[in-house]
Amino acid sequence: KEEEMRSTIRENAPEQFTILGPLALPDPRLPDIDLLIQDSNSASVLIGELKWARKTMRVREHPDRDAELDRGFQQLRGLRTFLRDHPQFIRNQLQSREGDPDSELSYCLIARDHMAWIEPEPDIWLTEFDAIIWSLQNSRDLAEAIRKLRTYEWLPKEGAEFIMRFETATAGGVSIQLEVVHRPPFLSQNAQEQVGPPKASR
């Protein structure tokens, strides 16, 4: 699953981005770096932890999926500590650029299918798989792509990509109202192509 995610990002990213991974660390207690994205136009570097958890409709399985994402955050914290203590490791992995300043590392948990909110930290945050590709394809450089991801510009916008309606369901003489997500009837095919991150080809 990780290799498929990595390959899809590599195939869809503009040429200015170098996509590396997996990268094994010298400390066997730490996970591999699943994904490293370098930009030839900036000093930013993105360290990604890939998590493809099967989407479930069964409520009792949600805690297991959420725990997998939490584990991803813990793994990123371990990577961050190691790379802070051993900055030369990351420098050895990067393409050299003349006059390149010290790289600015950002750590991202990239989730596919299952998502849950995890409070971001100053340099560790969560995003969605298709949003990574969208941000790389629609940004001047990696710094801008990271900003778009961290400010959640990739999330669908109410009134543009979706609308909410209250609908009533009745059974046994008892009625309940639920708020249901719908696609706007006025959303044209053209508009669909302009808004939000596109689904990556597989």
Side-chain angles (χ1 to χ4, degrees), residues 140-156:
R140 293 184 304 272
D141 55 32
L142 187 56
E144 181 182 357
I146 289 172
R147 180 193 62 75
K148 287 180 177 180
L149 292 167
R150 296 213 63 176
T151 53
Y152 304 104
E153 292 184 21
W154 51 273
L155 285 173

Side-chain angles (χ1 to χ4, degrees), residues 24-70:
L25 300 183
D27 187 342
R29 296 170 298 178
L30 292 174
D32 293 346
I33 296 175
D34 290 340
L35 182 74
L36 185 150
I37 304 179
Q38 180 196 7
D39 179 8
S40 60
N41 294 339
S42 78
S44 297
V45 174
L46 181 64
I47 305 293
E49 178 68 26
L50 302 173
K51 295 293 181 187
W52 191 347
R54 179 179 59 83
K55 186 66 177 176
T56 177
M57 299 300 294
R58 303 176 67 182
V59 174
R60 66 181 183 180
E61 293 181 353
H62 283 197
D64 291 338
R65 303 295 188 273
D66 293 349
E68 190 170 348
L69 297 181
D70 287 333

Side-chain angles (χ1 to χ4, degrees), residues 86-133:
H86 304 86
Q88 191 59 41
F89 177 86
I90 208 70
R91 293 193 191 109
N92 291 340
Q93 311 302 320
L94 301 180
Q95 285 186 340
S96 61
R97 294 192 302 273
E98 188 175 348
D100 183 25
D102 286 342
S103 298
E104 300 169 6
L105 302 185
S106 190
Y107 300 83
C108 180
L109 176 61
I110 303 168
R112 189 169 190 177
D113 283 356
H114 180 80
M115 290 283 289
W117 174 252
I118 302 178
E119 192 67 29
E121 300 177 12
D123 54 357
I124 300 181
W125 40 281
L126 171 73
T127 194
E128 197 268 339
F129 172 72
D130 290 317
I132 283 281
I133 296 172

